[in-house]
Amino acid sequence: MSSCISCENLRVSFSEHKSYTQVVRGVSFSIENQTTLGVVGESGCGKSVSALSIMRLIASPPGKIESGVINFENRNLLSLPEKQMQKIRGCKISMIFQDPMTSLNPVFTCGYQIGEMFEQHRETGSCEQLLSEVGIPDTFRVMNSYPHQLSGGMRQRVMIAMALSCTPKLLIADEPTTALDVTVQARLLDLLKSLQETKGMSMLLITHNMGIVANMAHEVMVMYAGEVMEHAPTEELFNSPLHPYTRSLLETIPSLDKKSKKLPVIPGDVPAPNDLPSGCSFHPRCSKAFSRCKIDHPEIHEIKPGHTVRCHLYE
């Protein structure tokens, strides 16, 4: 299967007090055509920054993409002039942002904002048909409504409609079900899955919810402190997790089979990018850490084809 997009050694920094601190440190991955890569990890691990880097939406200053190669349609997105990138952004690569209430423009109707997508990238298009495809029954009312007049689920569907308006080759979904109730979440995920099948697009899905990843993703990338800790096919990662951080994340998932009174938690917090510990960045919170973990930074190793892990336990 051919690759839709590949990212190699991506490094992104943000300035603070006239000095730059890396928040994404050597991230590499690829997404095959018509497949979904799930990206998981706690807040502050660099998931959204990596996604925004693909779209070249890192504001400079304070942000800066220091190095890396993002190959899409045989071109490095990081070296393209901005005018060429504008033709790709929103057209061939689209993004569903975390909070539609802050992503949609409050002073324009939803129909006007979707129409802008057609105006920028396509000569013609039906706003009503697009809203109907994402499961909105009363399309005329929604087209003439402002974002604050719609429910959270409806706003998210409008965001999905905008993202799909030009039939992108790659869809980036950054926490698409945040702040939605469980039933609305299920409907939206089913919608994304069916749209992926009918339109033949690839997807980068960022989420905290391991259950969503199990249901949606073909492969999973686990990030911590700006690095990839583990990358594997979904079924293999859930059945045979290798990195202690991946195991800890999976142990925190509620289960009807578990009869303990309290859910397990990962002690401590994700370190700040400007205050990373020496050696492995996860060692202060890791129950398997030993002396070398505090000194040497681990490299990523391929344990079996398609399954890589960054941990001294597997060298």
Side-chain angles (χ1 to χ4, degrees):
M1 189 178 291
S2 60
S3 174
C4 169
I5 191 169
S6 64
C7 176
E8 299 173 16
N9 197 32
L10 177 66
R11 296 181 181 273
V12 184
S13 297
F14 282 86
S15 62
E16 183 181 21
H17 306 302
K18 297 183 180 180
S19 63
Y20 278 87
T21 301
Q22 278 196 14
V23 297
V24 172
R25 303 183 292 146
V27 168
S28 298
F29 62 87
S30 65
I31 306 174
E32 304 302 320
N33 285 322
Q34 300 182 36
T35 65
T36 298
L37 172 65
V39 184
V40 299
E42 297 167 273
S43 295
C45 287
K47 306 184 299 298
S48 295
V49 173
S50 300
L52 291 170
S53 299
I54 294 175
M55 299 283 283
R56 293 258 302 267
L57 291 176
I58 300 296
S60 177
K64 178 173 67 173
I65 300 175
E66 290 192 348
S67 63
V69 176
I70 299 177
N71 283 314
F72 179 76
E73 295 185 338
N74 299 318
R75 291 182 291 179
N76 179 13
L77 297 183
L78 300 184
S79 63
L80 290 181
E82 179 60 23
K83 284 191 175 181
Q84 290 186 33
M85 192 62 203
Q86 286 174 1
K87 295 179 181 179
I88 294 174
R89 189 189 299 128
C91 181
K92 296 185 177 182
I93 303 177
S94 290
M95 188 166 184
I96 303 171
F97 296 93
Q98 287 189 33
D99 185 4
M101 190 63 191
T102 56
S103 301
L104 294 170
N105 195 320
V107 300
F108 294 110
T109 64
C110 295
Y112 179 88
Q113 295 183 62
I114 296 173
E116 279 191 312
M117 296 296 294
F118 292 128
E119 185 179 332
Q120 290 292 324
H121 299 292
R122 292 173 60 179
E123 292 181 0
T124 60
S126 171
C127 183
E128 289 187 69
Q129 181 183 345
L130 197 59
L131 291 173
S132 180
E133 284 181 6
V134 298
I136 294 176
D138 191 357
T139 57
F140 183 78
R141 181 184 67 84
V142 172
M143 281 176 55
N144 291 280
S145 296
Y146 293 90
H148 72 274
Q149 295 175 314
L150 302 176
S151 66
M154 281 293 186
R155 285 195 293 266
Q156 195 63 283
R157 286 172 188 264
V158 171
M159 281 287 296
I160 294 172
M162 291 179 66
L164 298 178
S165 59
C166 298
T167 315
K169 190 174 180 181
L170 173 66
L171 176 66
I172 301 172
D174 189 0
E175 301 279 1
T177 58
T178 298
L180 300 178
D181 61 64
V182 178
T183 55
V184 177
Q185 281 187 29
R187 288 199 296 269
L188 282 173
L189 292 174
D190 288 342
L191 171 66
L192 285 175
K193 188 179 288 187
S194 65
L195 289 171
Q196 181 180 31
E197 293 173 358
T198 56
K199 295 182 180 293
M201 63 186 179
S202 303
M203 192 184 309
L204 176 65
L205 175 64
I206 300 171
T207 181
H208 294 282
N209 192 321
M210 298 297 282
I212 291 176
V213 167
N215 182 44
M216 295 285 293
H218 298 87
E219 294 185 0
V220 185
M221 183 170 74
V222 182
M223 290 189 67
Y224 184 81
E227 291 183 304
V228 177
M229 291 300 185
E230 189 166 357
H231 188 152
T234 304
E235 186 175 353
E236 185 172 332
L237 184 124
F238 276 81
N239 291 333
S240 305
L242 298 179
H243 200 283
Y245 181 56
T246 308
R247 293 177 184 172
S248 298
L249 288 176
L250 292 174
E251 286 171 359
T252 61
I253 301 174
S255 172
L256 295 174
D257 298 330
K258 297 177 182 178
K259 296 183 179 180
S260 58
K261 294 182 179 179
K262 291 184 178 180
L263 281 173
V265 297
I266 306 175
D269 299 303
V270 179
N274 60 356
D275 190 28
L276 293 175
S278 59
C280 174
S281 55
F282 185 63
H283 88 256
R285 309 173 69 189
C286 182
S287 60
K288 303 291 185 182
F290 55 101
S291 56
R292 186 183 176 187
C293 300
K294 302 176 182 179
I295 302 171
D296 295 335
H297 182 265
E299 299 297 325
I300 199 154
H301 302 280
E302 187 172 47
I303 306 304
K304 59 177 70 173
H307 195 160
T308 58
V309 63
R310 186 186 301 275
C311 183
H312 290 308
L313 293 172
Y314 301 96
E315 293 182 353

